[in-house]
Amino acid sequence: MKKLIFCCLVVLMGSCKDKDDAVEPEVDYAPEYVGSYGTLVVDGPTSVQNDWVITATGKNQLAIVYTRNIHVEIAGTEVDVIQEYNLIDVKTTKDSFTINETVDVKQDNGKPLRHLVTGVATKVAGASGVAQLNTNIKLADPANGKTSYEGYLEFKK
């Protein structure tokens, strides 16, 4: 009889135990990316200043204004074009965010341009300890898949 009472007490205590099965709320990582980042790429006579202005638009959701200031020197002549990509559907995680959008590019020369922008940016601390975003980014024509730019960039805050 004592064994039966003891077993009942053990079962009763086990069933009354607090269960910590509550789902933890999802963490919002978007605010950790907010700010202005930039990088300069020089390749022979071509230089491109790449700038990102990142804002949080929702939980784990970012908007990025991506500006490319392109400068080319050709046989004593200089050509400048400024392109602006308004990315509005960027998804974040703890250490990275993903870009996969087709956008109409605003160009200061007035010519129409549409690009598929894809890439994953990873948040790291640079050599100086300042936050930076490392990415392999690709700009392509969505109609035929022809790539106009693909490369590795390190955006520094």
Side-chain angles (χ1 to χ4, degrees):
M1 184 71 161
K2 289 181 185 181
K3 288 182 181 183
L4 180 62
I5 293 174
F6 179 75
C7 286
C8 288
L9 283 174
V10 169
V11 170
L12 181 64
M13 288 176 61
S15 64
C16 293
K17 183 180 176 186
D18 287 341
K19 292 186 178 182
D20 193 15
D21 291 340
V23 176
E24 290 187 28
E26 185 179 346
V27 177
D28 184 13
Y29 298 109
E32 297 176 23
Y33 294 98
V34 171
S36 296
Y37 300 81
T39 188
L40 176 65
V41 177
V42 178
D43 185 13
T46 304
S47 64
V48 181
Q49 176 63 46
N50 297 274
D51 294 307
W52 279 353
V53 177
I54 302 174
T55 56
T57 58
K59 191 171 198 170
N60 292 319
Q61 185 77 27
L62 301 172
I64 301 174
V65 177
Y66 177 22
T67 306
R68 298 180 77 221
N69 188 343
I70 304 163
H71 177 79
V72 182
E73 292 183 30
I74 305 169
T77 301
E78 296 182 13
V79 178
D80 292 300
V81 176
I82 298 174
Q83 298 176 323
E84 184 178 293
Y85 297 76
N86 288 308
L87 307 167
I88 57 171
D89 190 26
V90 181
K91 309 281 191 242
T92 66
T93 64
K94 181 178 180 182
D95 297 320
S96 67
F97 60 79
T98 302
I99 301 169
N100 187 11
E101 277 186 67
T102 299
V103 296
D104 291 315
V105 183
K106 294 179 189 173
Q107 298 190 98
D108 66 347
N109 63 11
K111 293 183 179 180
L113 180 63
R114 190 168 177 82
H115 270 158
L116 170 62
V117 183
T118 56
V120 175
T122 305
K123 180 176 57 172
V124 298
S128 63
V130 177
Q132 75 181 44
L133 300 170
N134 297 347
T135 184
N136 282 309
I137 197 159
K138 181 178 179 181
L139 309 175
D141 183 333
N144 61 21
K146 183 178 176 185
T147 301
S148 64
Y149 176 80
E150 185 170 6
Y152 172 76
L153 299 173
E154 293 180 351
F155 286 87
K156 295 178 176 53
K157 202 163 194 180

